[in-house]
Amino acid sequence: MAAQLEATEILVVRSYYAPSSGRPRRRQRGVAAVEFALVAIVFFTVLFSIIDWSYLFFANLSMQHAVREGARYAVTGQSGLSPTPGDRCAAAREMIRTSSTGMYDKTGAKTTFKTINAGGQIVTLGASSCYGAEQLIIIQVDSALRPVTPFLRPFFAATGGEYRFSVATTMKNEAWE
């Protein structure tokens, strides 16, 4: 019988019994799909959590960079970026906004300007005061950002599901006067 098979024919032998066991073979259809579904849930949860954490840390680092750039601009005494002439704080805010790659507006950032008084205490400055020449200036930006996926929101339950962070820098105003 085997001699009668041509070269193009394939002989398929299926056994009723599982290989190397005396038990009957069970149906295996769909097992791979079920296993994939179980593993995929864990895999995609971890993957999207990593992406979400990366997004939150990117926002934090972007704001740190922007605050440093805004402070560098503010300490030179310039106010060219300000919508109102002569307002150095508004100019620094605008520099922070443009340097933040869009995160300033996305995070609902609040900018505070502070200095250190003669007694060594940190004092919040007025809305349009970035203090004078040769004085220390502290620029602080408080931000809040919601995670993109719902996987991380339980980690921020105490803050209403938001990642809240604050970045600040301290520099000494140059002698521009």
Side-chain angles (χ1 to χ4, degrees), residues 28-70:
Q28 295 284 321
R29 281 188 202 172
V31 172
V34 171
E35 288 173 355
F36 174 76
L38 293 173
V39 171
I41 291 170
V42 174
F43 173 75
F44 286 114
T45 299
V46 170
L47 176 70
F48 289 126
S49 296
I50 289 170
I51 291 170
D52 220 1
W53 280 112
S54 300
Y55 174 68
L56 297 177
F57 290 132
F58 169 76
N60 191 316
L61 289 173
S62 294
M63 292 305 293
Q64 286 179 6
H65 167 74
V67 169
R68 281 193 303 270
E69 291 298 314

Side-chain angles (χ1 to χ4, degrees), residues 18 27 29-30 43 63 65 71 75 79 81 86 93 104 116 126 150 159 171 175:
R27 290 208 171 268
R29 281 188 202 172
F43 173 75
M63 292 305 293
H65 167 74
V75 299
S79 61
L81 294 175
R93 260 189 225 96
Y104 188 87
I116 299 174
T159 58
M171 292 191 182

